[in-house]
Amino acid sequence: LFRSMVPIPGRVRAARKLIAKAHTIALASGSEYSIAVAAHFRGQMELAFGNHQVGQTAMDEAIARWRVTGDLSVAVISWVMRALYARHRMPVSKVYAWVKEAEETSFRQGNHVSRCLASSMCLYLDQSRGEDIRAALTELVDALNATDNRAPDLPLAWAFLGATLSRAGESSGAVEA
């Protein structure tokens, strides 16, 4: 699956075939978890390829399947990825609702790294709406600095933090964080 995510020119059709095969196998297995994984990767791939409606629909399926399993830890990534691609295409209120749900879910499940990721996206959206984010920003920087740097979600959290700071005209703060 991961190799199919690389957008190599001329490989889009092959990527879609591999993801479709993964989805077919997952459906045949009856495993909600497997179906959610395949739907998530289809969504991520289609969003990256610019097919936003198909990608968002696949992310909807992934999140619905994660809900059935009761393990929403991975759904947090689905919420954040769909928000990442929708942030300039959909109403901010809808995108914000997704990342707030991701943030609250991460908190309930005790997933500190995913919470930092969702919180960084929330701050990005808060800043775009003109809200004063200084206190929350300081809190998030402290939380990120206290997080294991090997966590796979961490680079995206730092990237959103940097984007938020640069949009606010505080690009030097991104380096200092």
Side-chain angles (χ1 to χ4, degrees):
L1 282 178
F2 292 109
R3 292 188 72 204
S4 70
M5 296 299 296
V6 179
I8 300 170
R11 299 289 182 136
V12 174
R13 191 171 320 146
R16 285 187 171 124
K17 284 174 91 172
L18 288 172
I19 295 293
K21 181 176 182 172
H23 196 252
T24 299
I25 292 168
L27 286 169
S29 77
S31 165
E32 293 291 335
Y33 193 89
S34 296
I35 298 167
V37 168
H40 172 88
F41 277 102
R42 180 175 185 221
Q44 190 170 346
M45 176 190 65
E46 293 295 347
L47 290 169
F49 290 162
N51 195 353
H52 298 283
Q53 185 57 49
V54 173
Q56 291 294 345
T57 300
M59 286 300 193
D60 286 342
E61 179 185 9
I63 292 165
R65 301 292 183 153
W66 295 128
R67 287 187 196 285
V68 171
T69 70
D71 179 5
L72 293 175
S73 60
V74 186
V76 169
I77 304 303
S78 297
W79 277 308
V80 171
M81 291 306 297
R82 75 188 307 209
L84 170 67
Y85 286 99
R87 71 190 190 280
H88 299 300
R89 291 180 170 75
M90 298 182 83
V92 173
S93 60
K94 186 169 190 159
V95 176
Y96 192 76
W98 293 337
V99 292
K100 282 307 281 184
E101 187 168 7
E103 185 180 49
E104 291 163 6
T105 299
S106 297
F107 178 75
R108 279 193 312 274
Q109 293 190 334
N111 189 330
H112 176 72
V113 175
S114 290
R115 184 175 181 206
C116 286
L117 173 58
S119 295
S120 69
M121 182 64 142
C122 284
L123 285 179
Y124 178 86
L125 295 170
D126 286 342
Q127 190 276 330
S128 71
R129 297 186 311 184
E131 294 186 24
D132 183 357
I133 60 167
R134 289 176 286 191
L137 190 62
T138 300
E139 184 179 318
L140 180 59
V141 168
D142 290 345
L144 285 167
N145 280 326
T147 301
D148 180 359
N149 282 329
R150 295 169 295 180
D153 302 342
L154 206 55
L156 190 53
W158 279 109
F160 272 115
L161 180 64
T164 302
L165 288 170
S166 68
R167 287 177 56 187
E170 298 175 9
S171 57
S172 63
V175 175
E176 294 168 13

